[in-house]
Structure formats: C-alpha cells, structure tokens
Amino acid sequence: MNAFRKWRYGNWFIPVVSGLLILVSFGVEKLFGGSWNVTVGPQWWIDAGEHAHGSGHVFTLANAFMLAAAIVAGYGIVVKAVRALLVKFISIDLLVSIAAIGATLIGNFWEAAAVTFLFAIGHALEAGTMNKTRAALAELVAVAPDVAVVMRDGEQVEIAAHQVRMGEIVLVKNGAKVPVDGQVVSGTGAIDEASITGESIPVEKTKSDHVFAGTISRGGFLQVMATGIGADTTLARIIHRVEEAQDAKAKTQAFIDRFSKWYTPAVMVLALAAGLISGDVVLGLTLLVIGCPGALVISIPVAIVAGIGRSARNGILIKGGEYLETSAKISAVAVDKTGTLTEGRPVLTDIVVLNPEADRREVIRWAAAAEAGSEHPLARPILDTAREEGVAPEGLPGSVTPVVGKGIVADAHGKRVLIGNVPLLEQYGIVNDAGAAVAANKLAAAGKTPMIVAVDESVLGVIGVADTIREDAPEMIRRLHAGGVQKVVMLTGDTRLVAEAIGEAVGIDEIHASLLPEDKLDAVARLQREGHTVAMVGDGVNDAPALATADIGVAMGAAGSAVAVETADIALMGDNLLKLPEAISLAKRTVNVMRQNIWIALITVVVLLVGVFAGGVTMAIGMLVHEGSVLIVILNAMRLLRNTQGATALSRSERARAAHETGRPVEPATAQSSSELPS
C-alpha cells in the first residue's frame, strides 16, 4: 500500500496514466475495424478547416480517451502556468498550455495529448536526473550520524546525535560514525575522513587530535569530548554551504534568466504573427511548442549543481556559480610559503657558534630565554631544542619588542637579547657581527631561516631553522601549469635566499620575498593589473588582505575552521595541495559543460524552427525533440559527477582497497570496560 502511495505521488504516475489513455484511444479507434469507436456527442470544437485532422465531425469514444489523456497530463501544466502568471512570470508551461488548449479547441486531440504527455515525461525524466545531479549533496546529508553513544553517570547511553551536550564524552567504536566534532581525550583509532576532506586513506587519531562529525571509524576505539554539536559541526556547515552554492547564480545564468524573460514573450508574438499571416492555427501552436526554452533555462543550473556537488564530495567547497566561473579563468596563482608550500612545522637544524667564549648550549639558552612565551612558529623549535639540551628558560623575559621585518628584542636576566637579521644588529648599533652575515647567508642559501643571536653588544651565534617542503608541492605546481595556469608566484615574508631555495625546489615561476602583509596585497594587485585572474592561497591571518584582494581566495585545511568554510571563495577541507589544481580543473570542465549546453539548446531551437517553416516538423515531433534536448543537457552535466584522472578522491571500494593495501586497521572494536572510561 505504501509502495502504491509512493508511486501515486511520484514523478511517473501522470505520464503512465496519460500514456495508457492514449493507447486505449488508439485501440478503440483501430481494433476490430473501429467498431468500438462509437459516437458520444456532436462536434463541439472550432472547425479549423484544412488544418483540422483526425477528429471528424463527431465526438467519438477514441476522441474522449485522447482528450482525457491530454487533461490528465495537462492539468498540472496549466496550474503551474497560471501560478506563474499570477506572479507576472511567463513560463514555459504557459507556452505548452496555450498550445495544448489551442489544439483541443480546433479538435486536434492527438496533438494536445501528445504535447502534454511528452512534456510530462520530460518533467519526470528531468526530475529524476536532476536528483542524481544533487546526489553529492544527498550523500553528504546521508553521512550525518543519527545516534551517539555517550557516557552519563558512568554508563554508556545511546541517544540521538542532536541530544549530545557540549563537553560530553562520546564513545566512537569500530565502524561507527563520529556523531560530533570533538577532541580525542583517550584511545587510538583510524578515521575515514573522506566525507569531510575527500582524503582517501584513513587517518590515525590519538589523544588531542580533532575528529569531525560524519567521519567513520575504521578501527580502534576513541573517547571524544564534544566541541561541536548539531548545526555547529563542520559537516553541517559544509552541507549548508553546498546548498547555498548550488542555488547561487553564475553571471552567465543571470544573463540567461534575463534573456528568457524577453525570449518567451517573443516566441508568443512570433507564433501569433505566424498564425495570423498564414491563417494556419496549427503552425502558430507548433511554434509555441518549438520555441520552448526549456533546455536553455536548465543548461547552466544543472551544470553548477553537478560541478559544485562533485567538488564538495572531494573536499573542495566552492562558494557558488559566480566563483566557479571566475575559477575557470585563473591564470596566476599566488601562494604563501610557510604552511602552504612547506609543512609549517619548522625544526632547528643548525647552531653556528661565532663567539669563542660561548658554546652551542649558551647560544640556544639565550635564544630560548628571549623566545619564552612567544607563539611565533619559529620560536617553538628553539624552545624544544633548549628543553632537549637541558637549558630550557625559567619564567618569561622582562619585555619583548618585536621589530617588524627584522626580529625581536628581549630583556632577559638583565641583558638585552637580539634575535633576528643583520639590519636588526645595525639598528641597535652592533658594528662587529663576528661573521654572522656570512653564516646567515650560507644558511639562507640552503633554504634555512637564519636567526642571529646577540647578547648586549656581542654576537653569540646564528641559529638555522628549516621547514620541510611538502611532498606534493612540486606536483601541485606541475599540474597547475598543465591546467593552463601561466604563473605560480610565491609571496613570503622570509628572506630572498630562503625563498629562492624553496622556490627552485618546487618549481615556482616568480618569487617575492621579505614581504609584509600589505606588500602581499600589492603583489596580488600588480598581477591583476598585468591582466591575470589571480587566486591567492593562504592559511594565515597575515594572508587575509591578499586573500580578500585576489579574484579567488583559497583557504587550505579549512576542515576545522568555521570562518574559513564560511568566508573563503574556495575552501580546501584537507591539507592535500593537489586539490587546488583539481578545483581549477573542475571549474573549467563545468564552464565548458555550461557552454556546450547553451549551444545544444540554441541549435535545437533553430533547427526545429527551420523544420517547421520548411515543413515536416509537427507539434508532437517538436515536443519530442525539445524534451530530448533537455535530457541531453542534463546528461551532459552529469558527466561532471565522475572523477577524472588525477582526482584526489577515490570511490568507496577504492578507499577500502587502499586502506587494506596500506595496512590500516579495519578490525573489530577494542572495547573497554566501563571502569576504564572517565566518569
């Protein structure tokens, strides 16, 4: 019963009933020599003279079934047309309604039934295929967890996912979906984050790591403290963002919408004029059907829905159709060095002692004393090394003064400590650098960031810190070039020697070093003045001005940042650099499909119009071809749902195989007793 009710209100009920009535009409008319085709009434329609056909001069049983087929299929069309008119919008349904009603009034019941039946079939197919183009969003919604297991009063309790409270401990067992965003407080496990980041391989999670709602445990057991619940999870933000993006109109779509507002009334005027001049009512009605801009209207939205949905499944969030179109034009990509081309986790590599009265522990001790309490990325490796060498600072320095572009000046243990570059020494009147400039240049030429350490008037030594180049950085740049990007530019606040060493290793085209945040903005603006459409990739606050200035701002590793998901034009959820060329490639494919669809729609209309005036194209054939063009447009857009070669996301079976081949655990849960769990 439920299945019948579902079918009754489904897309195919009306076309099926209408089609059956058409078959019955043909059966009554053709079978048994037409003996069943009895007369049920006199002629009530307008005599169209030579243009009327098939109805005779009496209303037969076959005519009644054909008329019923037209009414069944056409009722909904007329209702939609009237509703659109009430809001002063001339829709495609109005053209079809006028054509069908006109055909009925002149007794062409077969044409009326054929047009409405085919239009109804087209709608059903369109709805079905459009649902598939939105499958990516549906899959995102489907990964949203329904239940959660939490610890309450020392007991494991299964509750609805939306009932989890902030700060509550959630248990994530093998095979279960993570119900909240949170931080691991105990346990280890492998988490499949493909639904969020598009990454193929499960990620090992241990204490202090972050996990996201909608990801799936592939092994192990985790206790997670909820930090994001309900609508305040990364998955919820992604779904919301994709919904908005798929409905956001591209510039081309806005043009097509304006075009359709003039095109549809123009078709009605053309049909009226053709009918009055030729005296052929059928010609006028046929023109109404032929001129339907259905394929044109749907050509762009369906491509945008498919393109944005596909990218979202691969962990690439694109803000909307307008940004998709702009991304397809990107000719220059500006990237930050630290955290984008490099891991963003520098390590201390060299300690060059320049003062004969000091040793390496002395150099690192004073450097650590000055950097104590600093949150700067370069301070961490110094403090870590000092701790390992047993000279970790006790307490904080008296005062710390950052000198923009040069380093810092700190007051530690009653002495002035400088950490920075040669200009910093010069600013504070240290004339004898003890060879620090030469040592710093050697380190910089090797791609390391040098930091000169001076206490009072004496230079103690130079510390070298290096960041690891990401493995996928050279491949990203190669793919950007292969995808049509003319120039990849590095914008960094680091010294030129360091920047050149990194740039040469990864294949950067142009390097701008020693930049302040406002300098990065100027560099992006200069690229734009040169005629480039610029994408700026960054992950730090100091990149914000350049990100805002660029035609497309790209945020890396946005999975844990609500601000990045909401504000970036393109948000790459994972840290995989190859998602950037993939995003640009997908944007270009989507725009190509949009253009193809527009040409398909326009050529179809022109060919049909020529066919009508040349003869041979009837109202039914016109509607059939018209609906066919709509389907071709949709199917063309659905090609975007497939991953191309080089895509960063794999299918479920491929992910499972990859997990197996890499030895990642897909094993039974390692359950813990309640006594081992936090109360």
Side-chain angles (χ1 to χ4, degrees):
M1 192 64 184
N2 288 335
F4 175 78
R5 186 178 293 115
K6 183 178 179 182
W7 179 74
R8 165 65 185 83
Y9 293 102
N11 296 325
W12 287 100
F13 176 76
I14 287 176
V16 167
V17 172
S18 178
L20 288 175
L21 288 170
I22 290 174
L23 289 176
V24 171
S25 172
F26 280 129
V28 168
E29 185 177 7
K30 304 296 182 183
L31 295 178
F32 305 105
S35 59
W36 289 359
N37 192 19
V38 298
T39 299
V40 295
Q43 176 179 338
W44 50 264
W45 55 90
I46 301 169
D47 189 354
E50 60 178 317
H51 303 300
H53 53 85
S55 303
H57 297 287
V58 290
F59 190 57
T60 64
L61 184 60
N63 290 340
F65 278 116
M66 201 62 83
L67 180 60
I71 293 173
V72 168
Y75 174 77
I77 301 170
V78 173
V79 169
K80 288 181 183 175
V82 171
R83 286 176 179 168
L85 270 181
L86 291 177
V87 293
K88 299 179 181 179
F89 180 71
I90 299 177
S91 64
I92 301 170
D93 299 280
L94 181 62
L95 297 182
V96 176
S97 298
I98 293 173
I101 292 171
T104 302
L105 290 177
I106 61 173
N108 288 6
F109 303 119
W110 155 239
E111 280 78 2
V115 166
T116 51
F117 168 66
L118 289 171
F119 196 69
I121 284 184
H123 263 305
L125 288 171
E126 186 180 318
T129 47
M130 278 294 286
N131 286 339
K132 287 187 178 179
T133 62
R134 290 185 179 272
L137 180 59
E139 289 184 21
L140 280 175
V141 174
V143 302
D146 299 322
V147 297
V149 178
V150 299
M151 291 299 299
R152 288 183 179 175
D153 300 325
E155 299 291 334
Q156 296 185 27
V157 182
E158 183 172 300
I159 60 175
H162 68 272
Q163 292 178 335
V164 177
R165 297 191 288 259
M166 287 288 283
E168 206 162 20
I169 299 299
V170 179
L171 309 184
V172 181
K173 302 176 182 179
N174 180 30
K177 290 179 182 175
V178 179
V180 295
D181 281 5
Q183 187 174 30
V184 177
V185 294
S186 178
T188 61
I191 299 294
D192 181 350
E193 296 185 329
S195 58
I196 301 294
T197 66
E199 298 296 339
S200 313
I201 307 299
V203 181
E204 295 286 352
K205 297 289 183 180
T206 60
K207 188 176 181 180
S208 300
D209 287 339
H210 290 278
V211 295
F212 305 109
T215 55
I216 301 172
S217 171
R218 296 301 183 192
F221 181 82
L222 296 172
Q223 297 173 44
V224 176
M225 182 175 69
T227 57
I229 56 175
D232 188 27
T233 64
T234 298
L235 177 64
R237 285 192 287 270
I238 290 174
I239 292 172
H240 177 63
R241 174 72 181 269
V242 172
E243 285 176 333
E244 285 188 335
Q246 289 186 334
D247 291 334
K249 291 185 177 181
K251 288 180 180 175
T252 309
Q253 187 182 347
F255 169 76
I256 293 294
D257 288 348
R258 291 195 300 273
F259 176 76
S260 296
K261 284 183 180 177
W262 291 97
Y263 173 84
T264 308
V267 168
M268 297 176 70
V269 172
L270 174 66
L272 180 62
L276 291 175
I277 294 172
S278 66
D280 187 348
V281 179
V282 176
L283 174 63
L285 296 176
T286 305
L287 284 176
L288 283 179
V289 173
I290 299 303
C292 286
L296 189 64
V297 170
I298 203 172
S299 59
I300 296 174
V302 70
I304 289 175
V305 167
I308 288 179
R310 174 71 270 170
S311 65
R313 283 215 61 208
N314 289 10
I316 302 166
L317 293 188
I318 301 176
K319 210 170 188 176
E322 180 180 347
Y323 301 93
L324 202 63
E325 284 190 305
T326 305
S327 298
K329 301 174 187 172
I330 290 172
S331 59
V333 174
V335 294
D336 182 33
K337 179 180 74 66
T338 304
T340 304
L341 295 176
T342 63
E343 298 285 355
R345 293 189 290 272
V347 294
L348 193 150
T349 57
D350 299 86
I351 301 176
V352 181
V353 182
L354 298 174
N355 189 323
E357 298 178 1
D359 58 15
R360 55 177 282 125
R361 296 180 79 241
E362 188 74 359
V363 175
I364 197 67
R365 183 173 74 83
W366 281 107
E371 296 282 7
S374 172
E375 294 296 328
H376 195 281
L378 296 180
R380 182 170 298 282
I382 293 174
L383 294 170
D384 290 344
T385 304
R387 199 172 298 113
E388 292 167 3
E389 301 257 346
V391 290
E394 296 179 1
L396 299 176
S399 65
V400 178
T401 306
V403 183
V404 177
K406 297 179 181 177
I408 63 168
V409 181
D411 178 13
H413 306 299
K415 293 180 179 293
R416 185 190 69 189
V417 183
L418 307 180
I419 300 181
N421 51 21
V422 173
L424 182 68
L425 300 183
E426 294 171 351
Q427 180 174 332
Y428 282 83
I430 298 179
V431 179
N432 180 18
D433 70 358
V438 175
N441 283 340
K442 285 183 179 178
L443 290 172
K448 301 169 183 175
T449 301
M451 291 181 286
I452 302 171
V453 181
V455 177
D456 287 336
E457 303 301 320
S458 175
V459 173
L460 297 186
V462 183
I463 292 174
V465 174
D467 200 355
T468 308
I469 296 175
R470 293 188 182 216
E471 290 184 1
D472 48 2
E475 179 64 13
M476 174 194 74
I477 293 170
R478 188 193 69 76
R479 292 191 184 187
L480 285 173
H481 285 147
V485 173
Q486 301 167 15
K487 187 183 289 186
V488 182
V489 182
M490 180 200 292
L491 307 179
T492 178
D494 217 330
T495 63
R496 171 155 288 278
L497 283 175
V498 175
E500 286 179 346
I502 301 290
E504 186 178 353
V506 299
I508 287 284
D509 299 305
E510 192 174 303
I511 295 170
H512 297 267
S514 304
L515 299 182
L516 299 173
E518 55 267 32
D519 297 330
K520 293 185 179 181
L521 184 153
D522 293 339
V524 169
R526 188 161 54 250
L527 286 168
Q528 290 172 321
R529 286 196 297 274
E530 291 173 2
H532 290 290
T533 300
V534 183
M536 173 71 200
V537 188
D539 67 343
V541 175
N542 62 341
D543 300 324
L547 284 167
T549 303
D551 299 285
I552 293 292
V554 183
M556 290 286 301
S561 169
V563 175
V565 170
E566 293 297 330
T567 59
D569 301 326
I570 295 179
L572 307 179
M573 304 308 290
D575 279 330
N576 188 341
L577 289 178
L578 301 184
K579 289 188 183 299
L580 179 60
E582 183 180 350
I584 296 175
S585 171
L586 184 62
K588 290 187 174 182
R589 286 173 56 210
T590 304
V591 170
N592 284 337
V593 166
M594 288 162 57
R595 290 171 180 160
Q596 292 164 6
N597 283 352
I598 290 172
W599 279 112
I600 290 170
L602 292 177
I603 290 173
T604 301
V605 171
V606 170
V607 169
L608 286 176
L609 285 174
V610 171
V612 170
F613 287 110
V617 175
T618 65
M619 196 186 302
I621 292 175
M623 179 55 71
L624 185 63
V625 175
H626 169 264
E627 292 301 333
S629 69
V630 171
L631 282 179
I632 290 173
V633 160
I634 295 174
L635 293 173
N636 190 38
M638 287 179 68
R639 294 188 298 120
L640 295 169
L641 297 176
R642 295 199 306 267
N643 275 323
T644 57
Q645 188 176 8
T648 55
L650 303 179
S651 67
R652 289 179 182 174
S653 60
E654 288 172 325
R655 288 204 303 272
R657 187 164 60 249
H660 175 73
E661 289 173 350
T662 55
R664 300 283 177 165
V666 182
E667 57 195 19
T670 307
Q672 297 184 14
S673 64
S674 297
S675 61
E676 296 174 307
L677 303 175
S679 58

